[in-house]
Amino acid sequence: MDSLIPFTTSGSLVDCVDRKMLVVLRDGRKLQGVLRSYDQFANLVLEDTVERIYHQDVFAEMWRGLFLIRGENVVLLGEIDLDQEDEVPLRQVEWSVLEPYHKQDIANKKRREEVKSQVLYEEKGFCKEGGEGDGY
């Protein structure tokens, strides 16, 4: 009977080992690399990792190499389809060109979240819990 229950734990990652994966972290960073290992806490080891930033229809990559990710920081994990990866209609630019725009996007998002949090606190009675990187 237990064999009919689908994997809902880190055991479901067994088919993802040695495949190129996209990982989105709680702080918003997006990493791409080859999943080499994981454990029962869904801590991940990515090899040949790059961090990607996006702005409108362009992206930039920064080489990060071997990357160990604590499982509780993973928001999304998905396999990259290598056949369709090159068909994405985005243009690659240098990191230094895109980084100021990316930082401005992050600052704008933070301001919007602060305004939203203030409205929820004042008008709806929500508490101001959490902090940096607490929201997905």
Side-chain angles (χ1 to χ4, degrees):
M1 181 67 176
D2 288 338
S3 64
L4 299 176
I5 299 172
F7 281 122
T8 57
T9 63
S10 62
S12 62
L13 296 175
V14 71
D15 292 334
C16 299
V17 173
D18 296 332
R19 296 187 186 206
K20 190 170 183 182
M21 305 297 286
L22 167 68
V23 181
V24 178
L25 302 179
R26 285 177 56 183
D27 64 3
R29 286 184 290 170
K30 296 160 187 74
L31 304 171
Q32 290 186 5
V34 179
L35 180 65
R36 290 298 180 201
S37 184
Y38 66 94
D39 65 9
Q40 71 270 25
F41 304 109
N43 296 320
L44 308 174
V45 176
L46 292 181
E47 187 177 55
D48 298 329
T49 307
V50 293
E51 179 179 351
R52 271 196 177 184
I53 56 176
Y54 300 88
H55 181 74
Q56 296 177 353
D57 64 343
V58 296
F59 74 94
E61 292 182 340
M62 173 71 77
W63 173 257
R64 299 294 186 200
L66 191 66
F67 215 87
L68 175 63
I69 303 167
R70 188 176 172 103
E72 68 181 12
N73 292 318
V74 176
V75 174
L76 181 136
L77 174 68
E79 185 178 352
I80 295 175
D81 187 339
L82 299 177
D83 294 332
Q84 295 185 2
E85 183 179 20
D86 295 332
E87 297 174 17
V88 177
L90 297 174
R91 185 172 45 94
Q92 187 170 0
V93 297
E94 291 295 320
W95 183 273
S96 58
V97 172
L98 198 56
E99 189 175 25
Y101 296 102
H102 180 66
K103 286 184 177 181
Q104 185 62 45
D105 288 345
I106 291 171
N108 291 341
K109 181 179 179 182
K110 186 174 182 178
R111 278 194 295 277
R112 285 192 311 270
E113 290 297 320
E114 288 170 355
V115 168
K116 183 169 69 173
S117 175
Q118 189 64 31
V119 169
L120 289 171
Y121 175 72
E122 292 173 356
E123 297 180 13
K124 304 294 182 183
F126 283 69
C127 60
K128 291 185 177 181
E129 288 184 9
E132 183 65 33
D134 196 38
Y136 299 126

